């Protein structure tokens, strides 16, 4: 490619990759809230009952939290929470509904894409769902037919370009 | 050598004929051939020229050890250089050429160089080409010595995947030891990944045969394969494990048919190296003649490809392994004699010359005879078997130490290292039964190892003597002779590492696989040391040459350095944006397809005259939240922020610990316990990291949090004298009067049910409003602004126009108008340095003697007369002339100001503040212009436009 020639970025919505053996579909309308500090208290307040998930853990359709660090997680809810941003008693929340793009990757080649994307030992797992995937910081969860990635929205096109060739 | 194809035999598909050319001559081969086997089958003797002396060379080996048959291969008009003819599969319509011969390998024009060999010992060019200078000769020498020519039109796609894999046991090598190890491990329930570099498993069994567990070996191998797969493992053929890295990460190159090759990164719990052994030559006179070949390779060509390497063959050896080769060739119809350096040879019906010493090879372009005991014996092939060299590379790369085994005349692995076990021929087990035993044990097998008839292997070391007569080659590919090693010794290069570099022994693309042991043995003899004392050079990956396409993988083109994308990119494209990279983001540079320079000038002028819209979404938006937020904000910033009132904004610098300006930006105080750091687009990740670092290292992380919200928000900036009018027309529900929303303050509101933040900050010097909304709402907001722009005579503004506006105002871009030494006082910002008593990052460094040096480079304006062209960015600001010319600094930013009608420029100039009004030179590409040192702010120094 020429340095100045960049393919137009795909907007997060609908089916983003549709190959015979690999598809990527955007999850839209999710609520995503960054919480830090006392995660137990944060989840109890913003997503009561939501499980705190580590690397490549099965992601439910209901509210769940993807752990990013010891004291940080992304609470994912089917719709935006609309919670007030700011400091609480020992924890804080920041709305990032539009900050992360989420995609479900499925198809017979999804496992191959996964083995290309990350060197993490998915069989062993990790308390944190954060991982470098295709060289990008992502949160990785398992789905029934493949896997789910949450990536900072500005990197979505880079991730899709990578998946196009996976 | 008059090699030829036998009417039957080999594993080639004789029903599928492939046409190919070598040096333009048409030939044919079969599916299943390598390029080398096909050339041999067609009687091609000279396949290339030696690297230095341009001597004719033939095929020596049959696999990765090949030093001579290095070729350029053209497929479908695209040429790939530097391929080994022995490992490349023959395909239809290949055009094959030697890498370094012209016009052909057989008729090379530079062959005369060999006549000058007496004047070209090792290192001769270091000593010879000194005057006038090396560079005078370098192009011609490189042209002669180079290996292949890159085809500039051959740009392979970036489609080689990199896979990650894990397993319990990684077995490298699918020979008997590797298979036994894999069988044992799989039998114990372990997940095994077995990697074999040939297209089939078996290793030496494929051409030497063998009986295992009472039957032909293939049945046993098939059962092992099934057992591996049953236990959840995998067998990967045509895959070469080429390197062991930290924590025993193993990288492997998989050659795939009909699909791009792949690179595998395998992280096993343990590794079994069963990579076999390579036959080394005997160092006899003229041992580089075409037709001199590895004995084991000759058997490979016979059994795998049905190719006989000659009709009258002499096998010279010092060990038992050559005898089965000689017998197989004789059985296939060749006239074979054995020259054994030992007195006690194996029993055989063949003609054996004991205690024999070869005195020379007759035939310059191919073996015609072999001289021994003063007479010449006719022959068309001379097969050399100097013993086995275990393939210990992966073990040695993993920091394993080798020891010399006298009985085997070989360097074998010493102490076992953590996680790596070596078995089979790689560990000196040169018989089938011993290889199976070792493999079984290495795989963790219990009970009895797979059974094979007892074998035997004897060798009498026959190392090269440094004083031996004749030209004897040690390293075929680097063209290093025994005489070169002796010369290196005489000149004091007796360390193997010095020997390697002085003679280039082992430095060619075969990495000395057939040469190194003979070379260090010669040096040992020369210096009176043992081989153990002499030691080896360091083994480093890769074991074989791996294509750069495979190493690079898919990270080329758009993936080598992907850019972040704006949420409004589709809208910018729809408006004709020309997108360029700025700080890792793809952003609009200007809009439309008119002449870029005129367009940029027009956009900048319009922004000054009326109103413009630019996308500031990429600016960092990092929140510091918590009871201790003000403390971290203060510590992170050169300018105090704890004194900032909620609702207000302050501009400032962030410094590195060395006091150098790290970034600049504005900080908004959202609440008493909440700040928003809006840093440069390209520095956001770094600022987040440093905030997190200091949060955890200096403060109580339970009272403080750093959240990066950059991606959540889109920011649209409306700037210009009519900016407020336009915003008023949008009716956003936010009071815009200067009392309610003064410069460096912000207000919040709502837009389409979501939050809206309106901040009065300016990077243009004009009244400006940054409107921030969650990204999903930005399209509507932008559409409304764009709809209103014409009403106010406004338009869109790209980054290039914005850069002009900020340069007119002397606003810095950190990293462009600053360098790795610039401190805040070099930019004229001294207040915090003089007034702050508390600690902040970089403070201590601001008071060192270097920081207080009066001759520091300082940011100034550079003015040139109206009518002149802008100064070149990067040009040197100089004083003096001729040889006395001295650089004072350089131009950091430069533009034509449409508002002022003259060029404006910024520069970092030594003691720049004290030079105000001084005329200096500006030197660029041999030309010098004059400029005068001026204030950095060229437009509206009073700042009235911010409030206009």
């Amino acid at each position: 490619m020429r340095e100045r020639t960049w393919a137009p970025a795909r907007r997060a919505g609908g089916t983003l990759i549709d190959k015979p053996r690999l598809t990527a579909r955007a999850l839209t309308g999710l609520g995503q809230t960054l919480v830090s500090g006392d995660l137990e208290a944060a989840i109890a307040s913003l997503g009561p009952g939501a499980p705190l998930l580590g690397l490549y853990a099965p992601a439910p359709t209901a509210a769940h939290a993807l752990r990013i660090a010891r004291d940080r997680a992304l609470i994912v809810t089917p719709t935006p929470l609309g919670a007030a941003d700011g400091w609480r008693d020992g924890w804080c929340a920041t709305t990032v509904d539009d900050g992360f793009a989420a995609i479900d990757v499925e198809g017979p080649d999804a496992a191959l894409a996964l083995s290309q994307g990350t060197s993490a030992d998915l069989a062993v797992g990790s308390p944190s769902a954060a991982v470098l995937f295709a060289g990008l910081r992502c949160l990785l969860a398992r789905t029934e037919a493949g896997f789910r990635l949450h990536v900072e929205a500005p990197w979505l096109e880079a991730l899709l370009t990578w998946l196009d060739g996976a | 050598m008059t090699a030829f194809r036998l009417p039957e035999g080999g594993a080639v598909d004789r029903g599928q004929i492939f046409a190919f050319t070598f040096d333009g001559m048409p030939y044919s081969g079969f599916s299943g051939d390598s390029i080398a086997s096909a050339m041999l089958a067609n009687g091609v003797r000279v396949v290339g020229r030696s690297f230095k002396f341009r001597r004719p060379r033939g095929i020596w080996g049959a696999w990765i050890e090949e030093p001579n048959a290095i070729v350029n291969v053209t497929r479908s008009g695209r040429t790939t250089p530097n391929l080994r003819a022995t490992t490349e599969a023959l395909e239809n319509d290949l055009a094959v050429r030697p890498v370094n011969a012209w016009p052909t390998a057989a008729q090379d024009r530079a062959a005369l160089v060999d006549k000058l060999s007496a004047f070209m010992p090792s290192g001769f060019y270091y000593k010879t080409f000194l005057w006038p200078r090396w560079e005078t000769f370098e192009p011609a020498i490189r042209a002669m010595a180079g290996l292949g020519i890159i085809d500039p039109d051959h740009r392979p796609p970036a489609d080689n995947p990199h896979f990650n894999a894990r397993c319990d046991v990684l077995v490298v090598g699918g020979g008997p030891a590797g298979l036994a190890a894999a069988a044992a491990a799989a039998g114990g329930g372990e997940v095994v990944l077995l990697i074999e570099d040939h297209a089939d498993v078996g290793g030496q069994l494929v051409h030497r045969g063998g009986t295992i567990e009472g039957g032909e070996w293939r049945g046993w191998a098939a059962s092992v394969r099934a057992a591996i797969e049953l236990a959840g493992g995998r067998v990967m053929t045509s895959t070469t494990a080429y390197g062991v890295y930290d924590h025993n990460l193993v990288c492997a190159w998989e050659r795939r048919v009909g699909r791009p090759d792949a690179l595998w990164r395998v992280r096993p719990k343990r590794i079994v190296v069963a990579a076999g052994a390579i036959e080394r030559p005997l160092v006899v006179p003229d041992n580089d003649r075409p037709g001199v070949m590895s004995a084991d390779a000759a058997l490979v060509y016979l059994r795998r490809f049905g190719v006989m390497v000659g009709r009258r063959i002499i096998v010279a050896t010092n060990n038992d392994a050559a005898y089965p080769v000689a017998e197989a060739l004789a059985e296939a119809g060749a006239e074979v004699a054995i020259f054994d350096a030992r007195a006690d040879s194996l029993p055989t019906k063949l003609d054996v010359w004991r205690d024999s010493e070869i005195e020379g090879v007759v035939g310059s372009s191919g073996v015609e005879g072999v001289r021994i005991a003063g007479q010449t014996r006719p022959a068309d092939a001379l097969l050399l078997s100097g013993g086995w060299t275990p393939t210990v590379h992966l073990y040695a790369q993993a920091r394993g130490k080798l020891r010399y085994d006298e009985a085997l005349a070989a360097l074998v692995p010493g102490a076992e290292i953590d996680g790596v076990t070596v078995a089979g021929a790689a560990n000196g087990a040169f018989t089938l039964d011993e290889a199976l035993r070792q493999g079984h044990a290495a795989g963790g097998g219990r009970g009895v190892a797979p059974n094979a008839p007892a074998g035997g292997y004897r060798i009498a070391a026959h190392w090269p003597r440094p004083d031996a007569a004749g030209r004897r080659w040690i390293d075929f590919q680097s063209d290093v002779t025994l005489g070169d090693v002796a010369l290196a010794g005489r000149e004091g290069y007796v360390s193997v590492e010095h020997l390697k570099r002085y003679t280039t022994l082992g430095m060619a693309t075969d990495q000395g696989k057939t040469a190194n042991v003979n070379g260090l043995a010669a040096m040992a003899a020369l210096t009176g040391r043992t081989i153990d004392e002499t030691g080896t050079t360091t083994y480093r990956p890769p074991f074989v040459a791996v294509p750069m396409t495979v190493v690079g993988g898919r990270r080329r083109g758009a993936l080598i350095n992907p850019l972040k994308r704006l949420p409004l990119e589709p809208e910018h494209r729809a408006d004709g944006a020309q997108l360029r990279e700025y700080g890792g983001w793809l952003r609009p540079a200007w809009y439309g397809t008119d002449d870029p320079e005129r367009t940029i000038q027009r956009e900048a002028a319009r922004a000054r005259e009326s109103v413009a819209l630019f996308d500031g979404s990429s600016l960092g938006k990092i929140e510091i939240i918590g009871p201790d937020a003000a403390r971290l904000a203060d510590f992170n910033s050169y300018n105090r922020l704890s004194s900032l009132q909620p609702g207000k904004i302050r501009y400032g610098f962030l410094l590195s610990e060395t006091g150098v300006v790290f970034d600049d930006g504005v900080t908004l105080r959202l609440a008493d316990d909440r700040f928003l750091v809006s840093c440069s687009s390209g520095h956001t990740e770094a600022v987040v990291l440093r905030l997190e670092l200091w949060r955890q290292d200096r403060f109580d992380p339970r009272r403080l949090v750093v959240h990066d919200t950059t991606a959540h928000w889109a920011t649209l900036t409306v700037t210009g004298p009519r900016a407020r009018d336009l915003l008023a027309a949008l009716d956003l529900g936010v009071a815009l009067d200067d009392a309610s929303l003064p410069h460096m303050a912000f207000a919040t509101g709502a837009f389409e049910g979501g939050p809206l933040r309106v901040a009065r900050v300016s990077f243009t010097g004009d009244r400006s409003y940054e409107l921030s909304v969650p990204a999903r709402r930005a399209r509507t907001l932008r559409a409304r602004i764009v709809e209103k722009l014409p009403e106010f005579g406004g338009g869109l503004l790209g980054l290039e126009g914005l850069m002009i506006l900020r340069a007119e105002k002397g606003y810095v871009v950190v990293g462009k108008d600053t360098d790795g030494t610039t401190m805040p006082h070099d930019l004229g910002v001294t207040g915090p340095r003089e007034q702050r008593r508390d600690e902040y990052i970089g403070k201590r460094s601001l008071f060192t003697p270097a920081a207080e040096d009066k001759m520091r480079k300082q940011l100034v304006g550079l003015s040139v007369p109206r009518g002149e062209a802008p100064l070149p960015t990067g040009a040197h600001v100089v004083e003096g002339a001729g040889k006395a010319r001295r650089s004072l600094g350089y131009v950091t930013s430069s533009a034509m100001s449409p508002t002022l009608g003259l060029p404006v420029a910024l520069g970092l100039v030594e003691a720049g503040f004290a030079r105000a009004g001084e005329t200096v030179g500006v030197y660029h590409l041999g030309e010098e212009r004059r400029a005068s040192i001026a204030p950095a702010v060229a437009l509206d120094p009073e700042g009235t436009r911010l409030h206009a």
Side-chain angles (χ1 to χ4, degrees), chain A residues 36 71 94 98 119 134 162, chain B residues 166 554-555 567 695 707 776:
Chain A
S36 292
D71 60 353
T94 304
D98 299 354
S119 62
W162 187 93
Chain B
R166 291 176 186 269
R554 295 178 47 226
R555 286 206 166 275
R695 171 199 171 232
H707 279 175
R776 75 181 66 175

Side-chain angles (χ1 to χ4, degrees), chain A residues 1 3-11 29-31 34-37 70-72 80 85-88 90-100 112-122 133-137 152-155 157-159 161-166, chain B residues 159-166 264-265 267 554-559 561-571 573 579-581 584-586 590 623 625-627 673-674 685 688 692 695-696 701-713 774-777 779:
Chain A
M1 62 170 283
E3 187 187 345
R4 293 174 176 177
T5 308
W6 293 86
R10 282 158 277 195
R11 189 154 257 156
L30 294 178
L34 207 53
V35 294
S36 292
R70 247 188 316 234
D71 60 353
R72 187 159 302 163
D85 291 353
W87 185 261
R88 317 290 211 280
W91 59 278
C92 84
T94 304
T95 303
V96 287
D97 295 335
D98 299 354
F100 287 86
L112 271 182
L114 199 55
S115 74
Q116 289 184 62
T118 179
S119 62
D121 191 345
L122 301 180
F133 187 95
L136 304 170
R137 289 177 305 182
E152 285 183 300
W155 289 119
E157 181 55 35
L159 178 61
T161 305
W162 187 93
L163 283 167
D164 283 335
Chain B
D159 56 3
N160 297 96
H162 288 185
F163 295 110
N164 297 285
R166 291 176 186 269
W264 287 79
R265 289 188 289 249
R267 290 172 173 81
R554 295 178 47 226
R555 286 206 166 275
R556 290 192 279 144
L559 289 174
N561 186 23
L563 300 183
K564 289 189 267 192
R565 304 302 188 94
L566 296 167
L568 292 170
E569 183 187 308
E571 285 68 25
R573 285 185 184 273
L579 297 162
R580 299 287 184 271
E581 180 193 347
W585 290 77
L586 192 65
W590 68 88
E623 292 199 16
I625 316 159
D673 60 358
R674 197 170 159 213
E685 277 93 348
V688 170
E692 191 62 43
R695 171 199 171 232
Q696 295 187 24
R702 293 167 300 183
R703 295 171 53 83
L704 193 57
V705 158
V706 176
H707 279 175
D708 179 9
T709 66
T710 305
H712 175 64
W713 297 89
R776 75 181 66 175
R777 294 184 168 84
R779 261 189 289 178

